[in-house]
Amino acid sequence: MAAAGLAAACAVVILQPAIDVWLRADYSTGVAETREIRLEDGSIAFLGADSAIEVAYDASRRRVRLLSGQAYFEVQKDSVRPFHVEAGSVDTVDLGTAFDVRRRPDGVSVAVNEGSVAVTSPIASQALVTPLVAGDWVRVAWSGTVRRGNDAPELAGGWRSGMLAVKDEAITDVIDEIGRHYRGKIIIASGDLGEKRVTGVYDLNKPIDAVHAVAQALGARARQVSPWLIIVSSS
């Protein structure tokens, strides 16, 4: 009985973050599920797989909290009520645009397809002073480190088509994205392997094939140990 009680307590600790997200979310998706949501002001939120948002509109502003995963927004202009997307301590304010926000294991990323956004965070450096315009992206790490860059605008939210296009991305981030479309666990066994970078296009509708393709691109190996576990390791 003591062992059973301990196991139950451990399960609660492990699942508590997911339970908190579920209780707070106004809209959510499961593994391998995406969803298009029309918000009350006519703005559209495209929710990625295994993602959740909380929506709070009032007379002075429109606020969406990205609780987990990823979402792409097409925002209706409203000069009276700015549109905010909060992900942890990172706040993205729409300046008339379409943009993508993602919570990563190490921070938050924002990429702009159309228009411009202002990104702010109390933990980040002055690199966020200049607004982002079409094609711009920024990544704010929980440590406060900021990286900025520019790619083809259509890469922002490109996952909505079911295809994940990445350019010079860390394997850890790519596997994290693919993992939200796989009904199991993907483990990177080699620590240094996760920091290596890859460029490519991967089919999120076939996550197992996608993992193999990512591994093959770096000469690594992906082994499906069971229907619910894939291990990626150096060859």
Side-chain angles (χ1 to χ4, degrees), residues 38-148:
R38 183 171 291 275
L39 303 175
E40 65 181 64
D41 66 327
S43 297
I44 297 175
F46 295 89
L47 209 54
D50 198 18
S51 301
I53 58 173
E54 177 186 25
V55 180
Y57 282 18
D58 58 34
S60 62
R61 73 171 183 169
R62 299 166 291 169
R63 185 185 70 198
V64 177
R65 285 194 178 121
L66 181 62
L67 304 175
S68 65
Q70 185 169 22
Y72 179 87
F73 300 92
E74 294 179 353
V75 181
Q76 288 288 336
K77 292 183 179 180
D78 186 336
S79 59
V80 177
R81 296 191 302 166
F83 189 96
H84 293 252
V85 177
E86 299 174 358
S89 60
V90 178
D91 183 18
T92 302
V93 186
D94 166 69
L95 304 177
T97 187
F99 61 99
D100 184 83
V101 182
R102 177 183 169 192
R103 292 187 69 128
R104 297 170 176 265
D106 62 346
V108 174
S109 64
V110 180
V112 181
N113 187 318
E114 300 175 8
S116 61
V117 300
V119 180
T120 61
S121 174
I123 66 172
S125 67
Q126 291 298 308
L128 294 178
V129 171
T130 307
L132 276 64
V133 298
D136 286 347
W137 57 261
V138 67
R139 295 178 188 170
V140 182
W142 300 130
S143 64
T145 302
V146 175
R147 290 179 57 210
R148 291 187 66 146

Side-chain angles (χ1 to χ4, degrees), residues 5-20:
L6 180 59
C10 290
V12 169
V13 171
I14 294 171
L15 295 175
Q16 189 62 49
I19 293 172
D20 289 343

